[in-house]
Amino acid sequence: MKLKHLLFLFILICASCSKDDDKPITLSNIRPNETFNVYYPASSYDVLIIGGGNGLYQIKVENPSLLEIDFQKDRKELKLKPLGIGSTKIIIQDTSQNSFEFNVSIQYRESTFTVAKNSVKVVGKEITIKEKEELEQKALATIPVKPGGGYKVIYIDEEKHTGKIFIYPEKTGSNEIEGTVSVELSEKPYGYCSFILDLKGENRIFEYSHYQSDFTKSEMLIPMAFIEDVTEQFKEEYTKVEGVYTQQVFYQQ
């Protein structure tokens, strides 16, 4: 009787183990064959948690030159560190022939700014109404992007300080003008950071700021704008002007 009882327990344990082994492998919130995006360069790992299967996992990366992996068996953590731009596939298998495949897309960080409105602020107590109107029209003409166009910045560093910039004068995605950009803390009282553009030798500085009329920092959260100080372009002709600023109101993606 005791032997039969032990045999029954053995069969039950084996059946339970077999059932556990048949559980599909899972990975955080990613489904099989989905694409997981990571960004390059990166000083740290993206972490994914493996579940299911029998727990005895083997990890394979199709293109190890693009992606470094570190599998922490005790925590079942799969750590991903990009080594370059591109895409590759990761295959997870256990010793019970359960498997899980997914794709990894390695990209640069980027920001897109679509211009919704352009305006000009002219400052000067002694400037006439006519001069002010003339200046507003002339300053508007210096803005490289019309409403509906925009900018795309592709950052080549993790801190998003340097990169390429693409300017779309009338419509995002068409007739692009390419340049380079660096992003620094603003020295202006109304700016948060400065986008310093180099466009084939022409340098321009756009202050990332809240859209405003008095050019002092405020508590308003929206909208945001690129503000450019173009005073020097008009100072010689309009000697009484104190400041001319263009504003490009945008929404960011």
Side-chain angles (χ1 to χ4, degrees):
M1 189 72 178
K2 190 178 289 186
L3 182 60
K4 286 183 179 180
H5 183 66
L6 290 173
L7 183 60
F8 175 75
L9 286 175
F10 177 74
I11 293 171
L12 186 64
I13 291 169
C14 288
S16 177
C17 290
S18 178
K19 189 175 180 180
D20 288 342
D21 291 350
D22 289 339
K23 286 182 178 179
I25 295 173
T26 61
L27 186 64
S28 295
N29 296 319
I30 303 173
R31 295 180 180 179
N33 299 314
E34 280 191 341
T35 297
F36 180 69
N37 295 324
V38 298
Y39 296 97
Y40 174 85
S43 58
S44 59
Y45 289 90
D46 282 278
V47 179
L48 301 172
I49 306 299
I50 302 176
N54 66 10
L56 303 174
Y57 306 115
Q58 291 183 335
I59 318 294
K60 179 184 176 182
V61 181
E62 269 193 353
N63 192 343
S65 66
L66 286 179
L67 193 67
E68 176 182 304
I69 62 170
D70 179 16
F71 178 49
Q72 303 290 320
K73 293 182 180 179
D74 55 337
R75 299 179 183 177
K76 296 185 179 179
E77 289 182 349
L78 181 61
K79 297 183 175 182
L80 314 178
K81 185 175 182 180
L83 304 175
I85 298 298
S87 60
T88 187
K89 180 182 289 185
I90 293 181
I91 302 168
I92 305 170
Q93 289 183 321
D94 66 12
T95 55
S96 296
Q97 303 307 308
N98 296 303
S99 66
F100 185 102
E101 297 183 11
F102 70 105
N103 303 304
V104 177
S105 176
I106 306 165
Q107 311 166 8
Y108 286 120
R109 295 167 180 82
E110 63 178 57
S111 298
T112 301
F113 307 89
T114 301
V115 175
K117 172 186 175 182
N118 289 333
S119 67
V120 173
K121 174 68 176 181
V122 176
V123 180
K125 293 180 181 179
E126 298 182 20
I127 198 164
T128 67
I129 294 176
K130 182 181 178 181
E131 288 174 326
K132 180 176 179 294
E133 291 174 349
E134 288 177 355
L135 273 168
E136 286 174 348
Q137 292 304 310
K138 290 179 180 180
L140 276 173
T142 69
I143 300 175
V145 170
K146 296 178 180 179
Y151 304 87
K152 181 169 75 172
V153 179
I154 298 177
Y155 303 98
I156 60 174
D157 64 325
E158 186 175 7
E159 293 78 19
K160 298 169 74 171
H161 288 165
T162 58
K164 293 182 178 181
I165 188 166
F166 299 89
I167 299 177
Y168 305 103
E170 295 184 356
K171 183 180 178 181
T172 300
S174 63
N175 300 321
E176 68 183 26
I177 300 168
E178 183 178 344
T180 59
V181 65
S182 60
V183 184
E184 302 176 0
L185 287 175
S186 177
E187 296 181 356
K188 301 288 187 179
Y190 51 83
Y192 293 93
C193 59
S194 301
F195 282 69
I196 304 170
L197 285 61
D198 185 346
L199 307 170
K200 296 181 179 179
E202 178 191 6
N203 293 319
R204 305 186 74 152
I205 301 176
F206 292 162
E207 304 296 338
Y208 183 95
S209 177
H210 291 135
Y211 177 66
Q212 52 203 280
S213 58
D214 58 1
F215 298 98
T216 59
K217 283 190 177 180
S218 69
E219 297 300 319
M220 294 179 62
L221 296 178
I222 54 174
M224 299 301 294
F226 283 133
I227 300 175
E228 184 178 20
D229 184 346
V230 293
T231 308
E232 290 304 315
Q233 296 182 41
F234 304 103
K235 194 74 175 177
E236 185 175 345
E237 183 179 357
Y238 299 89
T239 55
K240 295 180 181 179
V241 72
E242 296 173 21
V244 184
Y245 307 89
T246 63
Q247 294 194 93
Q248 302 174 71
V249 178
F250 60 77
Y251 55 90
Q252 183 175 349
Q253 295 175 321

